[in-house]
mmCIF file of all heavy atoms in Angstrom:
data_model
loop_
_atom_site.group_PDB
_atom_site.id
_atom_site.type_symbol
_atom_site.label_atom_id
_atom_site.label_comp_id
_atom_site.label_asym_id
_atom_site.label_seq_id
_atom_site.Cartn_x
_atom_site.Cartn_y
_atom_site.Cartn_z
ATOM 1 N N CYS A 51 3.494 1.278 1.919
ATOM 2 C CA CYS A 51 4.247 2.450 2.369
ATOM 3 C C CYS A 51 5.709 2.070 2.611
ATOM 4 O O CYS A 51 5.993 1.167 3.394
ATOM 5 C CB CYS A 51 3.632 2.988 3.656
ATOM 6 S SG CYS A 51 4.549 4.355 4.364
ATOM 7 N N PRO A 52 6.641 2.730 1.939
ATOM 8 C CA PRO A 52 8.040 2.376 2.113
ATOM 9 C C PRO A 52 8.522 2.611 3.542
ATOM 10 O O PRO A 52 9.387 1.886 4.032
ATOM 11 C CB PRO A 52 8.774 3.301 1.133
ATOM 12 C CG PRO A 52 7.844 4.440 0.880
ATOM 13 C CD PRO A 52 6.454 3.858 1.002
ATOM 14 N N VAL A 53 7.946 3.598 4.197
ATOM 15 C CA VAL A 53 8.373 3.898 5.565
ATOM 16 C C VAL A 53 7.882 2.795 6.497
ATOM 17 O O VAL A 53 8.639 2.241 7.299
ATOM 18 C CB VAL A 53 7.840 5.277 6.023
ATOM 19 C CG1 VAL A 53 8.339 5.596 7.419
ATOM 20 C CG2 VAL A 53 8.247 6.357 5.032
ATOM 21 N N TYR A 54 6.616 2.426 6.355
ATOM 22 C CA TYR A 54 6.094 1.344 7.185
ATOM 23 C C TYR A 54 6.859 0.048 6.937
ATOM 24 O O TYR A 54 7.193 -0.682 7.868
ATOM 25 C CB TYR A 54 4.587 1.119 6.965
ATOM 26 C CG TYR A 54 4.089 0.037 7.889
ATOM 27 C CD1 TYR A 54 3.824 0.333 9.221
ATOM 28 C CD2 TYR A 54 3.998 -1.288 7.473
ATOM 29 C CE1 TYR A 54 3.467 -0.655 10.112
ATOM 30 C CE2 TYR A 54 3.638 -2.290 8.360
ATOM 31 C CZ TYR A 54 3.376 -1.969 9.681
ATOM 32 O OH TYR A 54 3.040 -2.956 10.568
ATOM 33 N N SER A 55 7.148 -0.219 5.679
ATOM 34 C CA SER A 55 7.805 -1.488 5.354
ATOM 35 C C SER A 55 9.146 -1.632 6.059
ATOM 36 O O SER A 55 9.595 -2.746 6.296
ATOM 37 C CB SER A 55 8.021 -1.606 3.847
ATOM 38 O OG SER A 55 6.779 -1.630 3.207
ATOM 39 N N GLU A 56 9.790 -0.528 6.370
ATOM 40 C CA GLU A 56 11.054 -0.611 7.099
ATOM 41 C C GLU A 56 10.854 -0.574 8.604
ATOM 42 O O GLU A 56 11.551 -1.240 9.347
ATOM 43 C CB GLU A 56 11.994 0.532 6.699
ATOM 44 C CG GLU A 56 12.437 0.513 5.239
ATOM 45 C CD GLU A 56 13.117 -0.790 4.829
ATOM 46 O OE1 GLU A 56 13.751 -1.441 5.684
ATOM 47 O OE2 GLU A 56 12.990 -1.172 3.655
ATOM 48 N N GLU A 57 9.917 0.242 9.076
ATOM 49 C CA GLU A 57 9.814 0.492 10.515
ATOM 50 C C GLU A 57 8.837 -0.441 11.231
ATOM 51 O O GLU A 57 8.970 -0.678 12.438
ATOM 52 C CB GLU A 57 9.431 1.946 10.790
ATOM 53 C CG GLU A 57 10.443 2.959 10.247
ATOM 54 C CD GLU A 57 11.851 2.702 10.783
ATOM 55 O OE1 GLU A 57 11.989 2.208 11.916
ATOM 56 O OE2 GLU A 57 12.821 2.988 10.045
ATOM 57 N N ASN A 58 7.835 -0.945 10.506
ATOM 58 C CA ASN A 58 6.872 -1.872 11.096
ATOM 59 C C ASN A 58 6.276 -1.415 12.416
ATOM 60 O O ASN A 58 6.269 -2.141 13.404
ATOM 61 C CB ASN A 58 7.511 -3.259 11.264
ATOM 62 C CG ASN A 58 7.789 -3.898 9.927
ATOM 63 O OD1 ASN A 58 6.887 -4.024 9.109
ATOM 64 N ND2 ASN A 58 9.028 -4.249 9.677
ATOM 65 N N MET A 59 5.791 -0.208 12.429
ATOM 66 C CA MET A 59 5.006 0.265 13.571
ATOM 67 C C MET A 59 3.872 1.097 12.992
ATOM 68 O O MET A 59 4.099 1.920 12.102
ATOM 69 C CB MET A 59 5.853 1.130 14.500
ATOM 70 C CG MET A 59 6.750 0.310 15.422
ATOM 71 S SD MET A 59 7.838 1.405 16.339
ATOM 72 C CE MET A 59 7.417 0.971 18.017
ATOM 73 N N THR A 62 3.898 4.668 11.589
ATOM 74 C CA THR A 62 4.521 5.036 10.319
ATOM 75 C C THR A 62 3.681 4.589 9.125
ATOM 76 O O THR A 62 4.046 4.836 7.992
ATOM 77 C CB THR A 62 5.922 4.405 10.183
ATOM 78 O OG1 THR A 62 5.799 2.980 10.272
ATOM 79 C CG2 THR A 62 6.858 4.895 11.260
ATOM 80 N N THR A 92 7.496 10.064 2.779
ATOM 81 C CA THR A 92 8.302 10.566 1.664
ATOM 82 C C THR A 92 7.428 11.221 0.584
ATOM 83 O O THR A 92 7.931 11.629 -0.442
ATOM 84 C CB THR A 92 9.097 9.439 0.982
ATOM 85 O OG1 THR A 92 8.184 8.607 0.268
ATOM 86 C CG2 THR A 92 9.876 8.599 1.972
ATOM 87 N N ASP A 169 24.959 11.296 7.370
ATOM 88 C CA ASP A 169 26.109 11.202 6.485
ATOM 89 C C ASP A 169 25.597 11.343 5.057
ATOM 90 O O ASP A 169 25.185 10.373 4.441
ATOM 91 C CB ASP A 169 26.747 9.820 6.719
ATOM 92 C CG ASP A 169 27.994 9.609 5.867
ATOM 93 O OD1 ASP A 169 28.510 10.586 5.313
ATOM 94 O OD2 ASP A 169 28.421 8.443 5.778
ATOM 95 N N LYS A 170 25.549 12.578 4.553
ATOM 96 C CA LYS A 170 24.949 12.808 3.239
ATOM 97 C C LYS A 170 26.007 13.143 2.202
ATOM 98 O O LYS A 170 27.034 13.740 2.507
ATOM 99 C CB LYS A 170 23.931 13.956 3.301
ATOM 100 C CG LYS A 170 22.700 13.669 4.116
ATOM 101 C CD LYS A 170 21.893 12.491 3.615
ATOM 102 C CE LYS A 170 21.177 12.768 2.290
ATOM 103 N NZ LYS A 170 20.444 11.548 1.839
ATOM 104 N N GLU A 361 10.635 -4.365 -7.652
ATOM 105 C CA GLU A 361 10.157 -3.173 -6.925
ATOM 106 C C GLU A 361 10.637 -1.868 -7.552
ATOM 107 O O GLU A 361 10.982 -0.917 -6.851
ATOM 108 C CB GLU A 361 10.597 -3.239 -5.455
ATOM 109 C CG GLU A 361 10.081 -4.473 -4.738
ATOM 110 C CD GLU A 361 10.540 -4.585 -3.293
ATOM 111 O OE1 GLU A 361 11.548 -3.947 -2.923
ATOM 112 O OE2 GLU A 361 9.876 -5.300 -2.530
ATOM 113 N N VAL A 364 9.032 1.243 -6.243
ATOM 114 C CA VAL A 364 9.064 1.600 -4.820
ATOM 115 C C VAL A 364 10.026 2.773 -4.629
ATOM 116 O O VAL A 364 11.078 2.858 -5.258
ATOM 117 C CB VAL A 364 9.489 0.392 -3.952
ATOM 118 C CG1 VAL A 364 9.653 0.795 -2.498
ATOM 119 C CG2 VAL A 364 8.463 -0.723 -4.082
ATOM 120 N N CYS A 365 9.636 3.662 -3.749
ATOM 121 C CA CYS A 365 10.391 4.880 -3.455
ATOM 122 C C CYS A 365 11.878 4.587 -3.186
ATOM 123 O O CYS A 365 12.234 3.532 -2.673
ATOM 124 C CB CYS A 365 9.766 5.502 -2.214
ATOM 125 S SG CYS A 365 10.391 7.103 -1.757
ATOM 126 N N CYS A 366 12.743 5.564 -3.533
ATOM 127 C CA CYS A 366 14.176 5.402 -3.251
ATOM 128 C C CYS A 366 14.526 5.944 -1.871
ATOM 129 O O CYS A 366 15.664 5.847 -1.424
ATOM 130 C CB CYS A 366 15.014 6.105 -4.313
ATOM 131 S SG CYS A 366 14.795 7.897 -4.338
ATOM 132 N N GLY A 367 13.540 6.570 -1.212
ATOM 133 C CA GLY A 367 13.781 7.047 0.144
ATOM 134 C C GLY A 367 14.241 8.496 0.233
ATOM 135 O O GLY A 367 14.595 8.966 1.308
ATOM 136 N N PHE A 368 14.222 9.204 -0.893
ATOM 137 C CA PHE A 368 14.718 10.580 -0.877
ATOM 138 C C PHE A 368 13.713 11.496 -0.167
ATOM 139 O O PHE A 368 13.929 11.863 0.979
ATOM 140 C CB PHE A 368 15.036 11.039 -2.302
ATOM 141 C CG PHE A 368 15.534 12.461 -2.375
ATOM 142 C CD1 PHE A 368 16.684 12.846 -1.699
ATOM 143 C CD2 PHE A 368 14.849 13.412 -3.121
ATOM 144 C CE1 PHE A 368 17.142 14.165 -1.764
ATOM 145 C CE2 PHE A 368 15.307 14.735 -3.195
ATOM 146 C CZ PHE A 368 16.442 15.100 -2.514
ATOM 147 N N PHE A 372 12.879 14.729 3.994
ATOM 148 C CA PHE A 372 12.731 13.420 4.650
ATOM 149 C C PHE A 372 14.080 12.723 4.776
ATOM 150 O O PHE A 372 14.387 12.091 5.780
ATOM 151 C CB PHE A 372 11.759 12.551 3.832
ATOM 152 C CG PHE A 372 11.656 11.119 4.320
ATOM 153 C CD1 PHE A 372 10.752 10.781 5.319
ATOM 154 C CD2 PHE A 372 12.448 10.124 3.765
ATOM 155 C CE1 PHE A 372 10.647 9.465 5.764
ATOM 156 C CE2 PHE A 372 12.359 8.808 4.210
ATOM 157 C CZ PHE A 372 11.453 8.480 5.210
ATOM 158 N N SER A 373 14.911 12.873 3.736
ATOM 159 C CA SER A 373 16.182 12.143 3.722
ATOM 160 C C SER A 373 17.134 12.633 4.811
ATOM 161 O O SER A 373 18.087 11.948 5.155
ATOM 162 C CB SER A 373 16.842 12.251 2.347
ATOM 163 O OG SER A 373 17.239 13.583 2.101
ATOM 164 N N GLN A 376 14.502 12.153 8.582
ATOM 165 C CA GLN A 376 14.296 10.741 8.931
ATOM 166 C C GLN A 376 15.439 9.957 8.302
ATOM 167 O O GLN A 376 15.232 9.024 7.526
ATOM 168 C CB GLN A 376 12.957 10.261 8.372
ATOM 169 C CG GLN A 376 11.760 10.954 8.961
ATOM 170 C CD GLN A 376 11.329 10.331 10.270
ATOM 171 O OE1 GLN A 376 11.269 9.123 10.400
ATOM 172 N NE2 GLN A 376 11.042 11.157 11.259
ATOM 173 N N TYR A 377 16.626 10.385 8.636
ATOM 174 C CA TYR A 377 17.816 9.869 7.963
ATOM 175 C C TYR A 377 17.901 8.349 7.978
ATOM 176 O O TYR A 377 18.109 7.709 6.943
ATOM 177 C CB TYR A 377 19.058 10.483 8.609
ATOM 178 C CG TYR A 377 20.342 9.912 8.074
ATOM 179 C CD1 TYR A 377 20.786 10.258 6.801
ATOM 180 C CD2 TYR A 377 21.104 9.016 8.825
ATOM 181 C CE1 TYR A 377 21.955 9.723 6.285
ATOM 182 C CE2 TYR A 377 22.266 8.478 8.322
ATOM 183 C CZ TYR A 377 22.690 8.835 7.058
ATOM 184 O OH TYR A 377 23.831 8.306 6.543
ATOM 185 N N GLU A 378 17.698 7.744 9.142
ATOM 186 C CA GLU A 378 17.913 6.294 9.226
ATOM 187 C C GLU A 378 16.922 5.503 8.372
ATOM 188 O O GLU A 378 17.298 4.563 7.671
ATOM 189 C CB GLU A 378 17.842 5.819 10.676
ATOM 190 C CG GLU A 378 19.135 6.110 11.395
ATOM 191 C CD GLU A 378 19.074 5.824 12.880
ATOM 192 O OE1 GLU A 378 18.235 4.987 13.283
ATOM 193 O OE2 GLU A 378 19.851 6.440 13.607
ATOM 194 N N THR A 379 15.649 5.907 8.439
ATOM 195 C CA THR A 379 14.648 5.213 7.623
ATOM 196 C C THR A 379 14.942 5.419 6.149
ATOM 197 O O THR A 379 14.877 4.484 5.344
ATOM 198 C CB THR A 379 13.239 5.754 7.933
ATOM 199 O OG1 THR A 379 13.070 5.763 9.334
ATOM 200 C CG2 THR A 379 12.182 4.906 7.296
ATOM 201 N N SER A 380 15.291 6.645 5.807
ATOM 202 C CA SER A 380 15.604 6.948 4.414
ATOM 203 C C SER A 380 16.712 6.039 3.902
ATOM 204 O O SER A 380 16.647 5.517 2.784
ATOM 205 C CB SER A 380 16.007 8.422 4.308
ATOM 206 O OG SER A 380 16.618 8.673 3.072
ATOM 207 N N GLN A 381 17.711 5.815 4.742
ATOM 208 C CA GLN A 381 18.824 4.968 4.326
ATOM 209 C C GLN A 381 18.395 3.503 4.193
ATOM 210 O O GLN A 381 18.859 2.791 3.318
ATOM 211 C CB GLN A 381 19.994 5.090 5.319
ATOM 212 C CG GLN A 381 20.657 6.466 5.293
ATOM 213 C CD GLN A 381 21.340 6.782 3.960
ATOM 214 O OE1 GLN A 381 22.028 5.957 3.386
ATOM 215 N NE2 GLN A 381 21.129 7.989 3.453
ATOM 216 N N LYS A 382 17.495 3.064 5.073
ATOM 217 C CA LYS A 382 17.036 1.669 4.969
ATOM 218 C C LYS A 382 16.284 1.467 3.647
ATOM 219 O O LYS A 382 16.441 0.450 2.984
ATOM 220 C CB LYS A 382 16.105 1.319 6.133
ATOM 221 C CG LYS A 382 16.838 1.068 7.447
ATOM 222 C CD LYS A 382 15.855 0.515 8.471
ATOM 223 C CE LYS A 382 16.011 1.218 9.798
ATOM 224 N NZ LYS A 382 14.917 0.991 10.742
ATOM 225 N N ILE A 383 15.460 2.453 3.301
ATOM 226 C CA ILE A 383 14.706 2.343 2.043
ATOM 227 C C ILE A 383 15.682 2.335 0.866
ATOM 228 O O ILE A 383 15.547 1.561 -0.083
ATOM 229 C CB ILE A 383 13.691 3.506 1.912
ATOM 230 C CG1 ILE A 383 12.717 3.496 3.092
ATOM 231 C CG2 ILE A 383 12.935 3.429 0.591
ATOM 232 C CD1 ILE A 383 11.782 4.707 3.146
ATOM 233 N N LEU A 384 16.698 3.174 0.977
ATOM 234 C CA LEU A 384 17.699 3.262 -0.084
ATOM 235 C C LEU A 384 18.481 1.947 -0.234
ATOM 236 O O LEU A 384 18.729 1.481 -1.351
ATOM 237 C CB LEU A 384 18.653 4.427 0.209
ATOM 238 C CG LEU A 384 19.828 4.634 -0.744
ATOM 239 C CD1 LEU A 384 19.358 4.860 -2.182
ATOM 240 C CD2 LEU A 384 20.685 5.833 -0.298
ATOM 241 N N GLN A 385 18.831 1.364 0.900
ATOM 242 C CA GLN A 385 19.575 0.096 0.833
ATOM 243 C C GLN A 385 18.789 -0.985 0.126
ATOM 244 O O GLN A 385 19.320 -1.750 -0.663
ATOM 245 C CB GLN A 385 19.891 -0.400 2.252
ATOM 246 C CG GLN A 385 21.101 0.274 2.852
ATOM 247 C CD GLN A 385 21.425 -0.303 4.221
ATOM 248 O OE1 GLN A 385 21.451 -1.504 4.406
ATOM 249 N NE2 GLN A 385 21.653 0.574 5.184
ATOM 250 N N ARG A 386 17.488 -1.009 0.416
ATOM 251 C CA ARG A 386 16.635 -2.013 -0.232
ATOM 252 C C ARG A 386 16.604 -1.761 -1.738
ATOM 253 O O ARG A 386 16.689 -2.686 -2.544
ATOM 254 C CB ARG A 386 15.243 -1.890 0.367
ATOM 255 C CG ARG A 386 14.222 -2.784 -0.271
ATOM 256 C CD ARG A 386 13.049 -2.878 0.665
ATOM 257 N NE ARG A 386 11.917 -3.531 0.040
ATOM 258 C CZ ARG A 386 10.870 -3.947 0.738
ATOM 259 N NH1 ARG A 386 10.833 -3.760 2.030
ATOM 260 N NH2 ARG A 386 9.863 -4.530 0.137
ATOM 261 N N LYS A 387 16.504 -0.492 -2.104
ATOM 262 C CA LYS A 387 16.529 -0.145 -3.524
ATOM 263 C C LYS A 387 17.829 -0.620 -4.172
ATOM 264 O O LYS A 387 17.829 -1.229 -5.236
ATOM 265 C CB LYS A 387 16.352 1.385 -3.658
ATOM 266 C CG LYS A 387 16.462 1.972 -5.032
ATOM 267 C CD LYS A 387 15.440 1.447 -6.040
ATOM 268 C CE LYS A 387 14.006 1.767 -5.732
ATOM 269 N NZ LYS A 387 13.042 1.226 -6.720
ATOM 270 N N MET A 388 18.947 -0.363 -3.498
ATOM 271 C CA MET A 388 20.230 -0.720 -4.091
ATOM 272 C C MET A 388 20.394 -2.237 -4.193
ATOM 273 O O MET A 388 21.003 -2.738 -5.124
ATOM 274 C CB MET A 388 21.403 -0.106 -3.295
ATOM 275 C CG MET A 388 21.460 1.416 -3.291
ATOM 276 S SD MET A 388 20.958 2.309 -4.785
ATOM 277 C CE MET A 388 22.340 2.060 -5.865
ATOM 278 N N ARG A 389 19.820 -2.966 -3.231
ATOM 279 C CA ARG A 389 19.864 -4.433 -3.335
ATOM 280 C C ARG A 389 19.122 -4.896 -4.581
ATOM 281 O O ARG A 389 19.573 -5.776 -5.307
ATOM 282 C CB ARG A 389 19.220 -5.080 -2.094
ATOM 283 C CG ARG A 389 20.190 -5.301 -0.940
ATOM 284 C CD ARG A 389 19.632 -6.320 0.059
ATOM 285 N NE ARG A 389 18.315 -5.953 0.593
ATOM 286 C CZ ARG A 389 18.142 -5.167 1.656
ATOM 287 N NH1 ARG A 389 19.183 -4.650 2.292
ATOM 288 N NH2 ARG A 389 16.937 -4.890 2.087
ATOM 289 N N ASN A 390 17.973 -4.277 -4.832
ATOM 290 C CA ASN A 390 17.196 -4.650 -6.020
ATOM 291 C C ASN A 390 17.937 -4.294 -7.308
ATOM 292 O O ASN A 390 17.855 -5.016 -8.295
ATOM 293 C CB ASN A 390 15.830 -3.966 -6.003
ATOM 294 C CG ASN A 390 14.887 -4.611 -4.984
ATOM 295 O OD1 ASN A 390 14.956 -5.818 -4.765
ATOM 296 N ND2 ASN A 390 14.056 -3.821 -4.354
ATOM 297 N N GLN A 409 19.914 10.807 -4.679
ATOM 298 C CA GLN A 409 19.825 9.735 -3.688
ATOM 299 C C GLN A 409 20.498 8.450 -4.193
ATOM 300 O O GLN A 409 21.237 7.796 -3.466
ATOM 301 C CB GLN A 409 18.330 9.486 -3.379
ATOM 302 C CG GLN A 409 18.049 8.338 -2.428
ATOM 303 C CD GLN A 409 18.081 8.767 -0.973
ATOM 304 O OE1 GLN A 409 18.646 9.817 -0.647
ATOM 305 N NE2 GLN A 409 17.509 7.963 -0.106
ATOM 306 N N GLU A 412 24.215 8.506 -4.054
ATOM 307 C CA GLU A 412 24.679 8.283 -2.687
ATOM 308 C C GLU A 412 24.611 6.796 -2.348
ATOM 309 O O GLU A 412 25.543 6.233 -1.765
ATOM 310 C CB GLU A 412 23.821 9.097 -1.712
ATOM 311 C CG GLU A 412 24.194 8.898 -0.261
ATOM 312 C CD GLU A 412 23.399 9.832 0.663
ATOM 313 O OE1 GLU A 412 23.164 10.994 0.288
ATOM 314 O OE2 GLU A 412 23.023 9.373 1.767
ATOM 315 N N GLY A 413 23.516 6.158 -2.772
ATOM 316 C CA GLY A 413 23.340 4.735 -2.508
ATOM 317 C C GLY A 413 24.421 3.898 -3.155
ATOM 318 O O GLY A 413 24.958 2.962 -2.557
ATOM 319 N N LYS A 416 27.622 4.335 -1.202
ATOM 320 C CA LYS A 416 27.651 3.738 0.137
ATOM 321 C C LYS A 416 27.463 2.232 0.128
ATOM 322 O O LYS A 416 28.047 1.535 0.943
ATOM 323 C CB LYS A 416 26.515 4.333 0.990
ATOM 324 C CG LYS A 416 26.781 5.715 1.510
ATOM 325 C CD LYS A 416 25.613 6.106 2.391
ATOM 326 C CE LYS A 416 25.810 7.472 2.983
ATOM 327 N NZ LYS A 416 24.539 7.982 3.531
ATOM 328 N N TYR A 417 26.576 1.747 -0.736
ATOM 329 C CA TYR A 417 26.138 0.358 -0.560
ATOM 330 C C TYR A 417 26.547 -0.605 -1.667
ATOM 331 O O TYR A 417 26.316 -1.801 -1.551
ATOM 332 C CB TYR A 417 24.627 0.302 -0.357
ATOM 333 C CG TYR A 417 24.160 1.192 0.772
ATOM 334 C CD1 TYR A 417 23.289 2.253 0.555
ATOM 335 C CD2 TYR A 417 24.638 0.978 2.063
ATOM 336 C CE1 TYR A 417 22.897 3.083 1.592
ATOM 337 C CE2 TYR A 417 24.246 1.808 3.110
ATOM 338 C CZ TYR A 417 23.376 2.865 2.871
ATOM 339 O OH TYR A 417 22.999 3.678 3.886
ATOM 340 N N GLU B 34 11.886 1.966 23.433
ATOM 341 C CA GLU B 34 11.215 2.293 22.156
ATOM 342 C C GLU B 34 10.245 1.199 21.723
ATOM 343 O O GLU B 34 9.500 1.378 20.774
ATOM 344 C CB GLU B 34 12.250 2.607 21.057
ATOM 345 C CG GLU B 34 13.100 1.445 20.583
ATOM 346 C CD GLU B 34 14.366 1.239 21.431
ATOM 347 O OE1 GLU B 34 14.441 1.839 22.532
ATOM 348 O OE2 GLU B 34 15.250 0.486 20.994
ATOM 349 N N LYS B 109 6.736 -6.375 14.614
ATOM 350 C CA LYS B 109 8.197 -6.428 14.491
ATOM 351 C C LYS B 109 8.746 -7.850 14.615
ATOM 352 O O LYS B 109 9.955 -8.056 14.547
ATOM 353 C CB LYS B 109 8.846 -5.525 15.544
ATOM 354 C CG LYS B 109 8.744 -4.050 15.182
ATOM 355 C CD LYS B 109 9.432 -3.195 16.212
ATOM 356 C CE LYS B 109 9.536 -1.762 15.763
ATOM 357 N NZ LYS B 109 10.457 -1.573 14.642
#
Side-chain angles (χ1 to χ4, degrees):
Chain A
C51 176
V53 182
Y54 183 79
S55 297
E56 296 303 330
E57 300 304 329
N58 292 305
M59 281 174 122
T62 59
T92 71
D169 181 14
K170 293 300 290 178
E361 301 178 340
V364 174
C365 187
C366 64
F368 179 59
F372 173 87
S373 67
Q376 296 276 316
Y377 174 74
E378 281 173 25
T379 311
S380 166
Q381 292 295 316
K382 283 189 226 166
I383 301 173
L384 176 59
Q385 279 183 47
R386 176 163 170 167
K387 175 60 64 181
M388 296 324 285
R389 272 198 304 273
N390 286 327
Q409 176 87 341
E412 178 175 322
K416 283 184 179 165
Y417 306 118
Chain B
E34 68 273 13
K109 284 182 171 291

